[in-house]
Amino acid sequence: MEYQEYISLLEAFRLSLTAENDPEVNKIVDQINETIAHLKTGKYHAMVLTQEVFEVIDLVNKDMAFKGLKLNPYQGKVWDKLKEKAYRSYSQDRNALGFTGAFGVSS
């Protein structure tokens, strides 16, 4: 999956969360903002970008499991698509989420 696909999914998910008035959701939004910024600049190696995407996934999973975060149907759809693409991409490559690493070589 290309950077732009991750950026689009993360932005859609972030926008859907901004209506929430919850400090835990704000932590997720902050992590999403940081991840999007790093994806847009492309200044980090593919493994760091992969780790950041999985940090977002981990934060949301923990909030849903332990803090009662409920996703509306739109949020759930975007969330499922993001997770599915991330896990599928990672399991196929086993190193990174299909991000291009140094010198244009897929990591």
Side-chain angles (χ1 to χ4, degrees):
M1 184 149 96
E2 299 294 323
Y3 282 46
Q4 190 54 51
E5 290 177 275
Y6 280 106
I7 291 169
S8 295
L9 286 169
L10 287 166
E11 285 178 339
F13 190 61
R14 177 190 64 196
L15 288 172
S16 72
L17 291 175
T18 56
E20 307 290 328
N21 190 15
D22 180 329
E24 295 302 318
V25 172
N26 291 340
K27 290 179 190 176
I28 294 168
V29 170
D30 290 344
Q31 181 62 46
I32 291 171
N33 288 336
E34 184 177 327
T35 302
I36 290 170
H38 292 157
L39 286 167
K40 285 183 176 179
T41 63
K43 79 178 197 180
Y44 290 102
H45 186 273
M47 290 305 292
V48 173
L49 296 174
T50 298
Q51 179 181 349
E52 286 196 17
V53 170
F54 278 107
E55 283 178 27
V56 170
I57 291 170
D58 186 52
L59 279 173
V60 175
N61 283 339
K62 284 180 181 176
D63 271 10
M64 288 190 325
F66 301 114
K67 297 182 179 155
L69 176 66
K70 303 281 188 229
L71 301 179
N72 66 36
Y74 175 77
Q75 290 168 329
K77 184 177 177 180
V78 174
W79 176 243
D80 289 342
K81 188 171 183 176
L82 175 65
K83 283 192 322 181
E84 178 184 320
K85 294 230 180 244
Y87 288 129
R88 186 179 329 132
S89 245
Y90 185 75
S91 66
Q92 287 172 354
D93 190 357
R94 287 195 174 78
N95 292 316
L97 297 175
F99 296 132
T100 302
F103 311 110
V105 177
S106 183
S107 299

